[in-house]
Amino acid sequence: GTSHLFGTIHVADDEIGALPAPVSERLDASRAFVMEVVPEADEIMEMAAMMYFNDGEKLDSLISAPLFQRVVSILSAYNLPEEAIVVMRPWSAYLTMSYPADMRPVLDLRLLEQAQAAGIETHGLESLLEQGRIFSEMPTADQVQLLADTACHHERLRADMETMKRLYLARDLKGMFRYGQRQAFADNALYEQLAERLLTRRNGVMAGRMQPFLEAGGAFIAVGAMHLPGAEGILNQLAERG
């Protein structure tokens, strides 16, 4: 049977979570549901261990007091107390505040729930730890830079997310890609590197790991929409693989 590739956006938004009927029907009729990562309990525990210092290091000794207070105030919306934040690695604080503080499941997890309810087998293209290592293996100075940028421009980033949501609801993939890549093209080596690690490199991995599901047919594959477009995007890579 035909397989479908669906671009998601990692937000918990009712408007976005209300799947168009054709999408919902394709998902229910599929043989296998495939997403970036199916969170497994043991991996969630290991990921949590990766996110926190276990060697006595403290976040407030890596960043200035005003920045630390700013981080604490932003992360309080995520129900994180200061005693947890003080032992967070900089990448983990940065990553947490890059996502909306809405505690409902993001679109990808809603799709997973729907697939599970329909009794469809589910698979991940990556492991949670692979995703975590993208950040945990960055030099500490780079992690701190990302955290500082994100904390200092938090309001603007929230506005950016609203723009991305509007583009997504308008099904404007090209617009999303252009908008999302602004930082990477601001001639900023750190953001270029991050785009390379977060998007480009993973696009190749995911396109490769999709092959068996596409060959078996009847797969519904859901990955972040930003992985689809562009010369090195998944759509192009799949076309090149025929």
Side-chain angles (χ1 to χ4, degrees):
T2 311
S3 292
H4 295 85
L5 183 58
F6 182 66
T8 65
I9 181 169
H10 308 318
V11 297
D13 186 281
D14 287 335
E15 205 178 349
I16 284 167
L19 285 184
V23 177
S24 199
E25 286 158 16
R26 297 288 190 289
L27 173 55
D28 287 339
S30 62
R31 191 189 52 76
F33 172 72
V34 185
M35 64 193 289
E36 289 178 28
V37 168
V38 176
E40 304 289 351
D42 55 339
E43 282 211 315
I44 293 171
M45 297 297 289
E46 272 184 79
M47 179 76 165
M50 243 166 110
M51 292 175 79
Y52 291 92
F53 288 117
N54 52 9
D55 54 6
E57 180 74 86
K58 296 274 170 68
L59 182 59
D60 60 356
S61 63
L62 286 176
I63 60 180
S64 71
L67 177 56
F68 180 70
Q69 281 317 313
R70 173 99 176 116
V71 169
V72 167
S73 103
I74 293 169
L75 290 181
S76 65
Y78 297 76
N79 299 333
L80 284 164
E82 186 167 336
E83 49 273 26
I85 297 166
V86 79
V87 287
M88 283 181 111
R89 293 181 189 272
W91 69 267
S92 130
Y94 148 75
L95 195 57
T96 305
M97 66 173 67
S98 314
Y99 281 88
D102 190 327
M103 293 297 163
R104 294 171 301 168
V106 297
L107 174 59
D108 311 66
L109 291 173
R110 287 191 184 199
L111 293 168
L112 175 64
E113 286 170 2
Q114 183 170 334
Q116 287 169 334
I120 298 163
E121 59 178 75
T122 59
H123 304 273
L125 294 169
E126 300 170 300
S127 75
L128 196 54
L129 298 178
E130 278 179 308
Q131 282 195 345
R133 281 189 209 108
I134 293 170
F135 300 98
S136 68
E137 289 173 358
M138 293 176 85
T140 303
D142 289 353
Q143 295 181 31
V144 166
Q145 175 73 55
L146 287 173
L147 177 58
D149 286 356
T150 309
C152 296
H153 303 124
H154 198 244
E155 294 309 312
R156 201 189 72 211
L157 290 169
R158 295 214 342 224
D160 282 353
M161 181 49 94
E162 289 307 315
T163 303
M164 284 295 253
K165 286 191 330 197
R166 279 199 298 280
L167 290 165
Y168 182 82
L169 286 166
R171 307 275 179 261
D172 183 357
L173 199 52
K174 192 178 280 183
M176 283 183 80
F177 188 64
R178 281 207 194 111
Y179 195 77
Q181 294 281 290
R182 293 188 328 287
Q183 279 176 309
F185 298 137
D187 197 32
N188 180 326
L190 177 56
Y191 284 95
E192 280 174 31
Q193 243 178 335
L194 190 61
E196 158 68 28
R197 296 185 67 152
L198 259 185
L199 284 175
T200 317
R201 206 178 299 177
R202 287 174 59 214
N203 291 347
V205 169
M206 292 200 282
R209 292 180 186 172
M210 276 176 200
Q211 294 306 308
F213 300 109
L214 294 171
E215 283 160 23
F220 186 105
I221 304 176
V223 295
M226 292 290 285
H227 291 287
L228 302 179
E232 293 166 309
I234 286 176
L235 292 174
N236 222 18
Q237 297 207 25
L238 290 178
E240 283 170 6
R241 290 167 184 266

